[in-house]
Amino acid sequence: MKKNTLAYLALLVSISSNASTLESDVQNKLAPLEQLYLDLHQSPELSYHEKETAKKISAQLDKLGFEVTDNYGGYGVVGIFKNGNGPTIMIRTDTDGLPIVEQTNKSYASKVTTVDQHNNTVGVMHGCGHDIHMTSFIGTADQLVSRKKQWQGTLIMIAQPAEEVGAGAKAMLKQGLFEQFSKPDHVIGLHVSAGLEAGKVAIAPNYALASVDSVDITVKGKGGHGAYPHLTIDPVVIAARLVLALQTITSREVTPLEPSVLTVGSIHGGSKHNIISNEVKLQLTLRSYNSAVRDQQIAAIKRMSDGIAMSAGLEKHLYPEVKVHYEESIPSTINDTALAEQVKNSITKELGAENVLKADPVMAGEDFGLYGRTEQPVPITIFWLGGVDPEQYQKAQQTGETLPSLHSSLFAPDYPLTIKTGVRAMTAAALDLFNTKTVN
């Protein structure tokens, strides 16, 4: 009896010593993840130029035992890990940086510069947190491979390029992502938040991010001397009238029950104080959730442009040219309600209810939504990963101080805690999805 008792106790000790929590496992592997983050942060690449970034992600996945396909949809990377029969889960990260000169004064700040498509020298920075996304992505892949006895199925990890220009998801899907590999049962992703403290996540149950359209308007006129305006038709005045008129689309034409944003982000015209130019160029961004609102915005822009030009006395061939950049347009991102609830519950079990919040929809855009809009729709969910240092966040709450936003040159996430939380949250969500019976 004593011998059996001792053997049983030894077994318990053995089990206890081998048991580990996801939190402790992530903590034990945090140091190399931090090094990966710092490397990615200090070597950002712009959209369509993510060649070296892709090589780094590819090498990490290859080392973990994934079947890797490179240069997919541009500099995209697809990693496949087959682990028996079960669901197919796809996890996505984005890889491109932004043309921003970093001004965080961090010791690891990006000092990269490059020449853009307009032949201008620009800084490059991961100002939207894609370095956090990639690091959490690799950390999650590592945890899922090391826990392969806890799940069965096929894990697809994709590193998507050109998110910032709305082109990467389109390119990967167009090349046949779901046909060449496997149509996933679920697609999940994360995005760092500049308004949520590190250690927390937030999930929207339905609408998550808005559709995005970029519109160029070339306003034409009849130029001349600034001293003789009566002999001209001034495009600056027409453009000014148009900018103000466009504001009434959201305020007076779109129902107030539907979110709508129309922003004129750029206006350029003229060359000298006393010269009335022949044209003025406007650049707009349109945001909505409802595709009918998007169509209404575009139709109203064209109608108002023509109407104001007519009222100024321009001939029809000089009416403004309105160009919608459909190749860069992306639809709204709508989280699958059931999947969002399941992901929320999984993350809550891992992080605690106090660290999992409900997110409101935002008017920012993400091409992640395209993965849920294929011919045979796939349930998708993206959640927000808090990135703000908790002390900085609490101070801002007390003082009303505005925190640096995404795309800010000052954005500097609390990367150790953010990465740790991202890996724990994504791994917990994936494990539960693999162990949930999928009904087709």
Side-chain angles (χ1 to χ4, degrees):
M1 183 72 175
K2 185 176 180 181
K3 184 177 180 180
N4 289 339
T5 301
L6 289 174
Y8 177 67
L9 290 173
L11 177 62
L12 288 179
V13 170
S14 174
I15 293 173
S16 176
S17 63
N18 289 326
S20 61
T21 66
L22 176 56
E23 181 179 12
S24 64
D25 284 351
V26 175
Q27 182 63 46
N28 290 337
K29 294 188 174 183
L30 194 57
L33 288 177
E34 289 183 21
Q35 289 304 309
L36 174 62
Y37 168 80
L38 293 173
D39 179 26
L40 293 168
H41 185 84
Q42 292 176 314
S43 55
E45 296 173 296
L46 294 179
S47 306
Y48 301 120
H49 298 277
E50 311 92 336
K51 184 177 181 179
E52 297 305 316
T53 303
K55 286 181 180 178
K56 293 172 186 177
I57 298 300
S58 178
Q60 292 284 336
L61 292 175
D62 181 68
K63 185 170 64 175
L64 290 171
F66 283 76
E67 299 173 21
V68 180
T69 301
D70 296 318
N71 301 320
Y72 204 86
Y75 289 117
V77 180
V78 181
I80 306 291
F81 191 91
K82 295 180 180 179
N83 190 33
N85 296 322
T88 298
I89 309 299
M90 188 178 100
I91 299 175
R92 172 266 202 177
T93 186
D94 36 17
T95 61
D96 48 337
L98 289 161
I100 300 172
V101 176
E102 182 167 352
Q103 297 178 317
T104 61
N105 293 321
K106 298 291 186 182
S107 60
Y108 54 86
S110 170
K111 296 179 175 59
V112 174
T113 61
T114 191
V115 177
D116 67 9
Q117 70 270 30
H118 304 298
N119 207 34
N120 297 317
T121 299
V122 296
V124 189
M125 174 189 178
H126 273 302
C128 201
H130 294 188
D131 45 0
I132 290 283
H133 303 174
M134 289 185 279
T135 308
S136 299
F137 172 90
I138 292 300
T140 298
D142 186 11
Q143 288 299 323
L144 289 172
V145 169
S146 67
R147 293 169 178 268
K148 62 185 179 181
K149 292 183 179 180
Q150 299 177 22
W151 60 275
Q152 286 188 311
T154 299
L155 173 61
I156 304 177
M157 306 290 290
I158 70 162
Q160 177 211 300
E163 184 277 330
E164 294 293 352
V165 293
K170 290 177 187 175
M172 297 189 83
L173 288 167
K174 184 178 180 180
Q175 190 166 333
L177 179 66
F178 290 172
E179 293 79 22
Q180 181 175 339
F181 300 100
S182 181
K183 178 173 171 285
D185 295 298
H186 302 291
V187 179
I188 50 179
L190 58 76
H191 199 299
V192 72
S193 169
L196 182 67
E197 63 182 302
K200 297 182 183 295
V201 303
I203 307 174
N206 191 252
Y207 282 118
L209 297 113
S211 65
V212 179
D213 286 282
S214 296
V215 179
D216 291 343
I217 304 177
T218 302
V219 177
K220 300 178 182 181
K222 295 182 178 179
H225 198 297
Y228 309 103
H230 58 293
L231 301 179
T232 72
I233 299 179
D234 192 341
V236 172
V237 174
I238 296 173
R241 291 174 60 194
L242 182 57
V243 169
L244 293 177
L246 292 175
Q247 309 311 307
T248 66
I249 295 174
T250 293
S251 67
R252 289 298 178 269
E253 296 197 23
V254 175
T255 170
L257 301 179
E258 287 284 358
S260 167
V261 171
L262 188 157
T263 296
V264 179
S266 172
I267 179 168
H268 293 278
S271 59
K272 198 172 186 297
H273 303 74
N274 61 349
I275 298 174
I276 293 175
S277 64
N278 287 316
E279 66 178 33
V280 173
K281 293 184 178 295
L282 307 177
Q283 292 181 312
L284 290 69
T285 186
L286 314 183
R287 310 290 170 117
S288 62
Y289 295 126
N290 189 328
S291 59
V293 171
R294 171 183 178 270
D295 293 342
Q296 184 181 4
Q297 290 172 329
I298 293 171
I301 288 169
K302 293 178 178 178
R303 186 192 76 239
M304 288 182 174
S305 297
D306 288 352
I308 291 173
M310 181 191 299
S311 71
L314 283 170
E315 296 94 338
K316 193 167 185 177
H317 73 279
L318 289 177
Y319 284 5
E321 294 177 0
V322 178
K323 179 181 179 181
V324 182
H325 291 273
Y326 289 107
E327 73 282 0
E328 296 182 5
S329 297
I330 56 173
S332 55
T333 295
I334 307 172
N335 283 344
D336 179 84
T337 302
L339 178 59
E341 180 69 16
Q342 184 171 352
V343 168
K344 183 193 79 171
N345 292 338
S346 299
I347 298 175
T348 298
K349 285 188 294 182
E350 176 62 28
L351 300 182
E354 70 280 7
N355 292 316
V356 182
L357 310 176
K358 178 183 176 182
D360 292 324
V362 299
M363 298 308 284
E366 243 281 5
D367 65 1
F368 179 82
L370 287 163
Y371 297 112
R373 292 176 180 260
T374 53
E375 188 174 342
Q376 294 180 319
V378 175
I380 66 170
T381 284
I382 190 168
F383 60 86
W384 292 101
L385 174 65
V388 185
D389 174 85
E391 289 187 10
Q392 183 184 6
Y393 179 85
Q394 293 302 326
K395 179 183 177 183
Q397 293 297 302
Q398 294 167 4
T399 64
E401 174 189 354
T402 300
L403 293 165
S405 66
L406 296 175
H407 291 213
S408 165
S409 62
L410 300 175
F411 177 62
D414 180 353
Y415 68 86
L417 180 54
T418 304
I419 293 165
K420 181 178 177 180
T421 306
V423 176
R424 290 175 64 194
M426 188 62 82
T427 303
L431 284 172
D432 279 357
L433 289 173
F434 274 121
N435 288 291
T436 299
K437 185 176 180 181
T438 301
V439 180
N440 294 318

